[in-house]
Amino acid sequence: MKVRTETPVPYHVAKPLSADDERWMREALALARDAQARGEVPVGAVVVCDGKIVGRGGNAPIERNDPTAHAEITALRAAAAALGNYRLPACDLYVTLEPCAMCAGAVMHTRLSRLVFGARDPKTGACGSVIDLFAEHRLNHHTSVTGEVLAAECGALLSAFFAARRAET
């Protein structure tokens, strides 16, 4: 049996990077740093619609005692409230870490136009690293996915956070 060692490439074809992808990912990185300052895993997310941020989120499951308080979910909730609709088809989500299955499901249910993530998550990533929910043809909505935008910077923030945690114990 041959063991696959390379990162799988998702079937879905992402739109090319826009001129603002780096800008919006830097906004998400600022929220990730805020989460880190609160003792949370440093993940940040922003929802963008018509060139404006309509939802922001940083990881907060510890602070809120809520396992669903991931950065993506928090940003999607804020955007839905701001726009008065649980569907966000004209919006893009920028998040510093590849979404997990819960967050990928939320992205699909909101009908986002595009998902842009920073670092891959080899343990729980649901955009191709562990599983690829966006490649499941039987699902009724398919969000465009672009990965690894500012991946080194996003990954370095997470690596430093976990290295510091390990040093504390």
Side-chain angles (χ1 to χ4, degrees):
M1 173 189 245
K2 185 176 179 182
V3 177
R4 187 174 184 166
T5 57
E6 72 276 0
T7 302
V9 177
Y11 93 97
H12 41 80
V13 178
K15 294 178 183 176
L17 297 181
S18 77
D20 289 325
D21 283 346
E22 186 174 312
R23 172 186 172 199
W24 299 128
M25 189 60 73
R26 291 205 181 284
E27 292 284 340
L29 273 162
L31 292 166
R33 290 184 191 97
D34 291 345
Q36 180 177 18
R38 296 189 322 273
E40 301 281 355
V41 174
V43 179
V46 294
V47 177
V48 177
C49 185
D50 295 328
K52 296 179 196 160
I53 295 176
V54 294
R56 299 174 188 270
N59 261 7
I62 298 166
E63 180 181 352
R64 295 182 185 171
N65 294 311
D66 179 357
T68 69
H70 289 195
E72 301 95 312
I73 302 295
T74 304
L76 291 172
R77 286 176 177 157
L83 297 176
N85 195 337
Y86 73 108
R87 300 274 198 227
L88 305 172
C91 298
D92 299 337
L93 173 68
Y94 292 80
V95 60
T96 58
L97 181 65
E98 178 181 4
C100 68
M102 175 184 69
C103 294
V107 164
M108 286 185 250
H109 283 286
T110 60
R111 307 291 197 261
L112 283 174
S113 174
R114 186 168 178 238
L115 164 67
V116 180
F117 69 86
R120 287 202 169 272
D121 186 345
K123 294 186 178 184
T124 64
C127 299
S129 291
V130 176
I131 59 172
D132 191 348
L133 291 180
F134 296 94
E136 178 52 61
H137 295 285
R138 294 173 290 183
L139 296 173
N140 66 336
H141 180 73
H142 293 92
T143 297
S144 172
V145 178
T146 299
E148 300 178 351
V149 173
L150 298 181
E153 193 171 339
C154 294
L157 182 62
L158 286 156
S159 293
F161 174 81
F162 287 113
R165 283 277 172 101
R166 286 188 297 276
E168 291 173 2
T169 58

